[in-house]
Amino acid sequence: MSNLGDIQHHIYSITVENKFGVLSRVAGLFARRGFNIVSLAVSPTEDERFSRMTIVVDAASAPLEQVTKQLHKLIPVIKVMELHPDDAVERELMLVTVKAESETRSQITELASIFEARIEDVGFESITIQAAGRPDKLDAMTDLLTPFGIVELQRTGRIALPKLSRRPQRLRAVKTRGV
């Protein structure tokens, strides 16, 4: 769960069967409960039988528990995890086209460099930039590009995986058979 102002964002990583209609069933569950889906990304997993949905919703904690329980009951749902931002690696991709006349072009290019973004296309009057990273990084970049004049902007939606453990797992004692 993360807070942006008074809004609480919950990140769900849902593993589902890779079949038609699954997205509709899962999204419909959130819609029937009146939750606004802020971000939705669906992609195949390492196993082609399954897809992973990353869904970000705004909600208070209590009512969302009911949705979680109902998600577990949906047949195409294999696994449901709520990811806390401190315990997850989150990324998002953004493409943004910005007005870039000759006087401002170098400033925009430098700004893209600071955010480790790439220039994907250059026109006479504008530049298209690709940036990837945490949502707050993309928000900051958008804020700094706005004064130049954003022509178009699209973001993919958040994807997230749990952070990996940094501690070795304790080894269990091996029982020897009595000889």
Side-chain angles (χ1 to χ4, degrees):
M1 173 175 60
S2 65
N3 290 323
L4 297 174
D6 292 336
I7 300 171
Q8 295 180 334
H9 286 201
H10 294 260
I11 305 167
Y12 280 93
S13 177
I14 304 168
T15 305
V16 297
E17 293 178 10
N18 191 5
K19 294 182 177 175
F20 65 91
V22 174
L23 173 61
S24 173
R25 294 176 72 181
V26 171
L29 182 67
F30 283 95
R32 284 191 300 277
R33 292 288 175 179
F35 293 110
N36 181 35
I37 294 176
V38 175
S39 170
L40 171 67
V42 183
S43 63
T45 64
E46 65 285 353
D47 185 335
E48 66 185 24
R49 296 174 299 158
F50 305 115
S51 293
R52 180 171 291 113
M53 296 180 176
T54 305
I55 300 176
V56 180
V57 294
D58 292 337
S61 296
L64 208 53
E65 289 179 23
Q66 187 64 32
V67 172
T68 303
K69 290 176 183 173
Q70 290 182 351
L71 279 170
H72 283 288
K73 292 179 183 175
L74 285 178
I75 296 298
V77 172
I78 307 298
K79 184 177 178 183
V80 178
M81 291 189 319
E82 184 174 359
L83 301 173
H84 189 279
D86 293 341
D87 300 326
V89 176
E90 301 173 57
R91 293 296 179 266
E92 199 172 330
L93 177 68
M94 176 175 76
L95 288 174
V96 57
T97 299
V98 184
K99 290 181 186 172
E101 298 173 10
S102 59
E103 307 86 46
T104 59
R105 192 168 296 243
S106 64
Q107 293 173 355
I108 294 169
T109 303
E110 186 176 336
L111 191 60
S113 176
I114 291 169
F115 282 92
E116 299 176 342
R118 293 180 12 184
I119 306 295
E120 291 293 333
D121 197 16
V122 178
F124 287 109
E125 298 175 351
S126 56
I127 294 175
T128 298
I129 302 168
Q130 172 191 304
R134 293 183 49 91
D136 56 343
K137 172 187 167 182
L138 300 183
D139 291 342
M141 185 174 177
T142 301
D143 290 345
L144 293 171
L145 289 173
T146 297
F148 295 102
I150 293 176
V151 178
E152 289 184 277
L153 183 145
Q154 184 164 5
R155 290 168 73 153
T156 59
R158 204 175 304 188
I159 58 172
L161 288 174
K163 283 187 179 174
L164 301 175
S165 173
R166 299 274 191 261
R167 294 184 180 166
Q169 293 185 350
R170 297 179 78 183
L171 299 176
R172 284 190 251 154
V174 178
K175 294 181 181 177
T176 57
R177 293 184 180 170
V179 181

